Amino acid sequence: MTDTLSTAGIPMRWVGPLRISGNVATTETRVPIATYESPLWPSVGRGAKVSMLAERGIAATLVDERMTRSVLVEATDAQTAFTAARTINARAEELRALVRTCSRFAELIGIRHEITANLLFIRFEFATGDASGHNMATLASDVLLKHLLRTVPGISYGSISGNYCTDKKATAINGILGRGKNVVTELLVPREVVDGVLHTSAARVVELNIRKNLLGTLLAGGIRSANAHFANMLLGFYLATGQDAANIVEGSQGVTMAEDRDGDLYFSCTLPNLIVGTVGNGKGLDFVETNLDRLGCRAEREPGQNARRLAVIAAATVLCGELSLLAAQTNPGELMRTHVRLERDHTTAKDEV
Amino acid sequence: MTDTLSTAGIPMRWVGPLRISGNVATTETRVPIATYESPLWPSVGRGAKVSMLAERGIAATLVDERMTRSVLVEATDAQTAFTAARTINARAEELRALVRTCSRFAELIGIRHEITANLLFIRFEFATGDASGHNMATLASDVLLKHLLRTVPGISYGSISGNYCTDKKATAINGILGRGKNVVTELLVPREVVDGVLHTSAARVVELNIRKNLLGTLLAGGIRSANAHFANMLLGFYLATGQDAANIVEGSQGVTMAEDRDGDLYFSCTLPNLIVGTVGNGKGLDFVETNLDRLGCRAEREPGQNARRLAVIAAATVLCGELSLLAAQTNPGELMRTHVRLERDHTTAKDEV
Amino acid sequence: MTDTLSTAGIPMRWVGPLRISGNVATTETRVPIATYESPLWPSVGRGAKVSMLAERGIAATLVDERMTRSVLVEATDAQTAFTAARTINARAEELRALVRTCSRFAELIGIRHEITANLLFIRFEFATGDASGHNMATLASDVLLKHLLRTVPGISYGSISGNYCTDKKATAINGILGRGKNVVTELLVPREVVDGVLHTSAARVVELNIRKNLLGTLLAGGIRSANAHFANMLLGFYLATGQDAANIVEGSQGVTMAEDRDGDLYFSCTLPNLIVGTVGNGKGLDFVETNLDRLGCRAEREPGQNARRLAVIAAATVLCGELSLLAAQTNPGELMRTHVRLERDHTTAKDEV
Amino acid sequence: MTDTLSTAGIPMRWVGPLRISGNVATTETRVPIATYESPLWPSVGRGAKVSMLAERGIAATLVDERMTRSVLVEATDAQTAFTAARTINARAEELRALVRTCSRFAELIGIRHEITANLLFIRFEFATGDASGHNMATLASDVLLKHLLRTVPGISYGSISGNYCTDKKATAINGILGRGKNVVTELLVPREVVDGVLHTSAARVVELNIRKNLLGTLLAGGIRSANAHFANMLLGFYLATGQDAANIVEGSQGVTMAEDRDGDLYFSCTLPNLIVGTVGNGKGLDFVETNLDRLGCRAEREPGQNARRLAVIAAATVLCGELSLLAAQTNPGELMRTHVRLERDHTTAKDEV
């Protein structure tokens, strides 16, 4: 039913270097971005340049990590669902042991549930080493679900995935309960760099962030999101590093904050749902291996450390592009002028205006 | 600041053919999907096979199309913002004329606004021919905004984009007011095909759709979304056809509905925010041109018709993958078995479980 | 099946006066608040006092008004639903005439629709004079729906209300498309009043508003809402003036904005979904009539003007309570101290701590 | 600044009896509803009648209970916020002991946090006995916050409430993490009762629930909500029993599910955010005391049991009204006919149509 295998060659460039510090990595690195949108490269590049002019660069703090899968079971009634939920909680240790038999790397670190009518959603949370963990979590959940169906009275199969996970859908649960890496990035941009490189002021970036990212997204009916274009940087970075780029859907839900600190600009991007891995699907391709290697994410390290490094580099890349675009939008006409110029330079085709 | 240009070669296959009817195109076509997730190919392929076994195939109805950009202006106070909004409405014809000077293809077809405090968000809606229209809309909005700032009293520049557009963020506004193509796809699967090809029953698909897509997403705190994995198919199709794939963020907000019609399965996917174009960024690359050509989307047609054809093919592709996954999830263990088998066959690397 | 009629006597006080200006009313008035939460009275009272110390008081701008009801019809398929939607749009004038036969006051001012699968949601928008308009809109929609079912081919009855209205549910559609009155209130508080009456500074209120109302609500997964406690003031005002207080659900979705203007505090509350009426259910009761009369909302005026006046008074009352609470929360311990003191003074029972 | 105290006398009737079973109470009781919307009484009454015709009546399962308050602190940077969060978790036992010194009834049962930029939101979860617990939770949080500010390095006061609680705002967090009582109600209506009392069929209720409550609310941009009018019943019951009725904002976020079981109707309402108490504000008023007493919620019981009983009665009341309205809306014209008739009988004034 399927054709011969070929490839879609997405234009890719390395941008930077950018400077990173924090609880995962202290490094300076260039970053690969694969995109059809050529203005993205110089945009991230400008942010990267700013990061090199700040003493600590981008401080990236990894706050949490887990991969989740929610299964769905039907119970005889709500009381039976409730009893089942309590039974499952009480048997957490047994379930943890079961997961250890599925995989060298998967570890069951949490269980949450919610009952509606006679339906019980069970959300399993796993540590998954250097893998983003979709498959590992699904496999482990499959084993757990079979076991529960056999041993907990009054429940039957509903679904291996109840959309309460949530994978590749924009929801509130991932940010509140955790899914993927939760990374906070911060950059203190000296006043003269705000002026000289970003051509704006801290006060104007702060005001724009409030009005556009916080208020504008709210009025549009956004859900747990306040940023200008996290999705663009994530897509480019994900494609270049062999990630499942459909995870930009939840990855793009994050928050940009800015403060005017006596003319210096405190700028921060929080990405609570950043899903990355250095092993797994997409990782065997030559250019992916090369890119991960060049990013220092294929080193011999404790399991999970390569993925964490990749996460903070991804998050720092997001900050660079976000900062640059917001700065541009503080100036009337700048965005359009830049786009027109850059696309003339970089692209082979564009909107026929 | 940037490196030499290379490419990220995403694995790509043609899948199908699938059968489409409706108010845009009646056709049978194979579709290209570029992805790191190899199980996606046979999954879409199974849905495509089902579409060939239904008399009309997938009925795809294009319901709306527009591209939007919201600008933000600050007014002296709310009363001034309100007066400005009414002035802008009253001068719609003048603004339409102005847009016609920006582009051969852009046409201003609507204006909406919202006031909060002294801030006025103005959402311009455009027809953009065969382009997805991001750049065209931004350019036209830039011209409109400059004009308004010069001629409407009491307002000053806020932002060229107020996040009330909304681009690449999951919000409610795009579905309610329209952005991109709004396409409804429907497929009536005969009972014997539900059984023989999908290995399930209409009743079980209906039940799963209610519990997983409608209820599960709701409980997860989703926004205007009820589907299993629209994002996966959109990403693969977007990458293969030169689209800005970051638009899967809003594109993935859509609704799957299913009905049991005497054992036959009525299955429908509605994509209210489907952003595609056949000209513009990403379109000059050889493989993209080839793919668009093979899809019949580079023909000599009235402006807009190629993009509409591409939209209904994209939407039909989404339905194929959605139907196949839901059917699989009605059966305990099937998803995992299929993934394990397919990845063994297709991929070069996977999660080290 | 029901008992004899009695009454639940909710404690009520008049608070103020507060000063209002703007495009609906220029007035100074006390306002009635019925509540079990006694600290609400002095809280609103403090805001009212601040309004009297500002030259223009609270500027209240009415930006929009409409009442809505969405009906739901099932079509043969999506194409039929689409054709029906276009037919309905084309026959708007005929539908407007039909509505005029239902009521002296109802006027059909807009029609929106959305299609999902073979389902068509039609959202009728009405002007409803001085009534909040729930019943008027339902009656008119009932007539419209019957007429459409008789005259538009391929559609059948789904529901008289499709939850796309939306009544008493927190959604995004009411703010985006309009439902009830949309009122923006603004108050410029001189620096010395911020300090002397509110015991805080503009900068601290601004910072708290960003972090608590905009960011905190966002992180909690809020929808089109950024305020501290609009619901409290609305409930108290609604009960005292005979409103259907269940409309606080959508009424509480609104936005507080604050700016530090050289030490003066610009403070604004936008209520896009404020549903009030001066005729209709609840209005025949003696205390309600007295209260409406005392508020100047039972005068001989052009239809709609009394309700508009009531709306801006309601919105101004909300601002008073919101300002006071935010100011209190800028100071560690103040909220608790105030609550403890006030409840000792005002209430007959409280949490047994 | 405030007037003399008077009362707003909301019309009140007792409706029922309704039959309840489940893990909290087995009882038959009439319920008081205070409302300006007179059709609500017979609507709930019809549902109550149905509950008496089902063997077990309404099975009400209490699944969870807690009251929450989120404080907000500012940290030096994200790393400091992260360290503080871990410190707080590690000192949970100490904090629990501290809470026990604040109140005889409050118990700290959980702590959650979220970090954005350098801001740390800490959500404390409490058991609060028979009180709804707003004040108890605020008082305890005030003490906890002061203690943390003194003993955890690098953090300073942000707010006593960070809107991450969330009180009286419609968000996702309350349902996901829990706030108030979480009650699931279920009623199996025999086919002949569906037909004879509700004048509809199970299949039609199921279909309407999917299209209106699940899909319609979703399209409107709802958040964690799928019901017709929970808010109405909650408001009436809350006012009659001395509750803080502004909590209907989050209380109205709940889910109605229906199944056709061979012609019998399985009907369920899940209320995950049901905030009620039998002591505290509003409880000293004579009619409230009488009502609570008559509901059996002032008995000598273990602390918390009276509030739990009140919660399941409230939830059962919601089910009665929800069932009756949905049944009515399955029949074209019935809603309007009923409203017109009932309001003629019951009300003293209505919309002048």
Side-chain angles (χ1 to χ4, degrees), chain A residues 254-298:
Chain A
V255 175
T256 297
M257 291 293 280
E259 281 185 24
D260 177 355
R261 297 190 173 172
D262 287 324
D264 295 344
L265 172 64
Y266 169 81
F267 193 82
S268 166
C269 294
T270 301
L271 292 103
N273 315 128
L274 183 57
I275 296 176
V276 297
T278 56
V279 297
N281 289 345
K283 305 313 176 305
L285 301 165
D286 284 349
F287 79 91
V288 171
E289 290 296 314
T290 303
N291 290 355
L292 289 174
D293 196 55
R294 198 166 154 193
L295 289 168
C297 294
R298 292 299 257 167

Side-chain angles (χ1 to χ4, degrees), chain B residues 167-195:
Chain B
D167 193 42
K168 301 168 186 171
K169 272 86 69 179
T171 67
I173 201 169
N174 290 342
I176 291 171
L177 293 182
R179 190 164 190 266
K181 317 291 187 197
N182 184 330
V183 181
V184 184
T185 59
E186 300 168 286
L187 177 63
L188 190 65
V189 190
R191 173 202 292 259
E192 60 276 13
V193 178
V194 178
D195 179 31

Side-chain angles (χ1 to χ4, degrees), chain A residues 1 3 6 8 10 12-14 36-37 45 74 157 163 168-169 173 217 220 227-228 232 239 281 329, chain B residues 1 3 6 8 10 12-14 36-37 45 157 163 168-169 173 211 217 220 227-228 232 239 281 329:
Chain A
M1 195 180 302
D3 247 17
S6 64
I10 318 287
M12 180 167 65
R13 284 184 190 273
W14 284 78
Y36 293 131
E37 309 302 313
E74 178 183 353
Y157 178 82
N163 273 22
K168 301 168 185 171
K169 273 86 68 180
I173 201 170
T217 311
N227 65 74
N232 282 330
L239 292 176
N281 289 345
Q329 292 196 3
Chain B
M1 195 181 305
D3 247 17
S6 64
I10 317 288
M12 180 166 66
R13 285 184 191 273
W14 284 78
Y36 293 130
E37 308 302 312
Y157 178 82
N163 274 23
K168 301 168 186 171
K169 272 86 69 179
I173 201 169
R211 293 173 173 184
T217 312
N227 66 74
N232 282 331
L239 292 176
N281 291 345
Q329 293 195 1

Side-chain angles (χ1 to χ4, degrees), chain D residues 58-251:
Chain D
I58 297 165
T61 307
L62 179 78
V63 163
D64 190 52
E65 60 178 353
R66 60 195 66 231
M67 175 45 63
T68 62
R69 175 61 70 190
S70 77
V71 300
L72 166 61
V73 299
E74 178 183 353
T76 317
D77 53 24
Q79 177 62 52
T80 306
F82 179 47
T83 304
R86 295 208 295 188
T87 301
I88 291 165
N89 280 356
R91 287 165 50 185
E93 195 43 59
E94 167 193 335
L95 300 180
R96 271 196 287 275
L98 188 59
V99 168
R100 280 191 291 268
T101 68
C102 304
S103 156
R104 272 187 296 145
F105 298 105
E107 188 190 347
L108 180 64
I109 58 174
I111 306 174
R112 301 281 311 187
H113 32 71
E114 182 161 352
I115 296 169
T116 295
N118 62 329
L119 302 170
L120 171 61
F121 293 80
I122 312 167
R123 190 178 190 265
F124 296 116
E125 307 178 342
F126 304 94
T128 60
D130 280 313
S132 63
H134 299 82
N135 290 348
M136 211 184 278
T138 303
L139 173 59
S141 297
D142 202 50
V143 170
L144 289 168
L145 178 54
K146 267 183 209 134
H147 179 69
L148 294 174
L149 292 174
R150 258 197 320 266
T151 58
V152 178
I155 62 172
S156 58
Y157 178 81
S159 179
I160 178 63
S161 164
N163 274 23
Y164 195 73
C165 316
T166 299
D167 192 44
K168 302 169 185 169
K169 274 84 70 177
T171 66
I173 202 170
N174 289 342
I176 292 172
L177 293 182
R179 190 164 191 267
K181 316 291 188 200
N182 185 330
V183 180
V184 184
T185 59
E186 301 169 286
L187 177 62
L188 190 66
V189 190
R191 173 202 292 258
E192 59 276 14
V193 178
V194 178
D195 180 30
V197 180
L198 296 172
H199 311 305
T200 186
S201 70
R204 288 159 68 203
V205 172
V206 167
E207 187 175 77
L208 179 63
N209 187 56
I210 294 167
R211 293 174 174 185
K212 170 193 173 75
N213 286 345
L214 286 165
L215 178 60
T217 312
L218 176 156
L219 294 179
I223 185 77
R224 275 190 60 95
S225 189
N227 65 76
H229 70 140
F230 283 13
N232 282 330
M233 282 73 75
L234 282 179
L235 176 68
F237 190 86
Y238 276 10
L239 292 177
T241 59
Q243 311 302 315
D244 186 347
N247 283 122
I248 67 169
V249 175
E250 64 267 54

Side-chain angles (χ1 to χ4, degrees), chain C residues 1 3 6 8 10 12-14 36-37 45 157 163 168-169 173 211 217 220 227-228 232 239 281 329, chain D residues 1 3 6 8 10 12-14 36-37 45 74 157 163 168-169 173 217 220 227-228 232 239 281 329:
Chain C
M1 194 180 303
D3 247 17
S6 63
I10 318 287
M12 180 167 66
R13 284 184 191 271
W14 284 79
Y36 294 130
E37 309 301 313
Y157 178 81
N163 274 22
K168 302 169 185 169
K169 273 85 67 180
I173 201 169
R211 293 174 172 185
T217 312
N227 64 76
N232 282 330
L239 292 177
N281 290 344
Q329 293 196 1
Chain D
M1 194 182 303
D3 248 15
S6 63
I10 318 286
M12 180 166 66
R13 284 183 191 274
W14 284 78
Y36 293 130
E37 309 300 312
E74 178 183 353
Y157 178 81
N163 274 23
K168 302 169 185 169
K169 274 84 70 177
I173 202 170
T217 312
N227 65 76
N232 282 330
L239 292 177
N281 290 344
Q329 293 196 0

